[in-house]
């Protein structure tokens, strides 16, 4: 990034900014209503479900968070009572 800044510090800075960009994209993706969903939105939702979730316990916690914050998933879970259980089993 500049003279006098170590390679590891530059890499850490870039990684942090990339994480912020992903978090911002996820925020806006969660605002998309179910009726406006497209294939790309479904893929993005899948990435959202797996983002920062390496273990089964983390995936279940992440699922709960995403369902609560995603307009489309919240609507699907209200329409279909089995949806959250199905997602949790995946």
């Amino acid at each position: 990034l500049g003279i006098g800044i170590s390679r590891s510090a530059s890499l850490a800075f870039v990684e942090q900014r990339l994480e912020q960009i992903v978090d911002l994209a996820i925020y806006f993706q969660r605002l998309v209503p179910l009726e406006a969903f497209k294939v790309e939105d479904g893929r993005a939702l899948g990435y959202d479900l797996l983002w920062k979730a390496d273990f089964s316990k983390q995936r279940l916690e992440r699922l709960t968070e995403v369902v609560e914050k995603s307009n489309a998933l919240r609507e699907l879970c209200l329409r279909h009572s089995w949806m959250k259980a199905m997602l949790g089993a995946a």
Side-chain angles (χ1 to χ4, degrees):
L1 289 175
I3 297 175
I5 297 179
S6 72
R7 182 174 174 87
S8 62
S10 295
L11 182 59
F13 176 82
V14 169
E15 287 175 351
Q16 186 178 37
R17 294 302 168 256
L18 286 173
E19 188 170 325
Q20 288 175 337
I21 291 167
V22 170
D23 289 341
L24 187 62
I26 286 171
Y27 170 80
F28 284 108
Q29 183 63 44
R30 289 176 177 175
L31 298 177
V32 177
L34 184 59
E35 59 272 355
F37 247 53
K38 297 178 181 155
V39 172
E40 297 82 15
D41 297 312
R43 280 194 202 108
L45 186 59
Y47 291 127
D48 186 5
L49 286 168
L50 296 175
W51 180 246
K52 297 180 186 175
D54 296 331
F55 305 102
S56 294
K57 184 178 179 184
Q58 287 177 324
R59 282 195 294 273
L60 290 174
E61 292 170 358
R62 184 69 179 173
L63 172 64
T64 301
E65 174 191 342
V66 172
V67 168
E68 289 174 2
K69 294 181 179 179
S70 169
N71 289 339
L73 267 184
R74 193 172 45 250
E75 188 178 331
L76 269 176
C77 289
L78 288 173
R79 284 186 192 179
H80 308 289
S81 59
W82 47 265
M83 180 61 71
K84 193 170 181 181
M86 184 189 76
L87 290 170

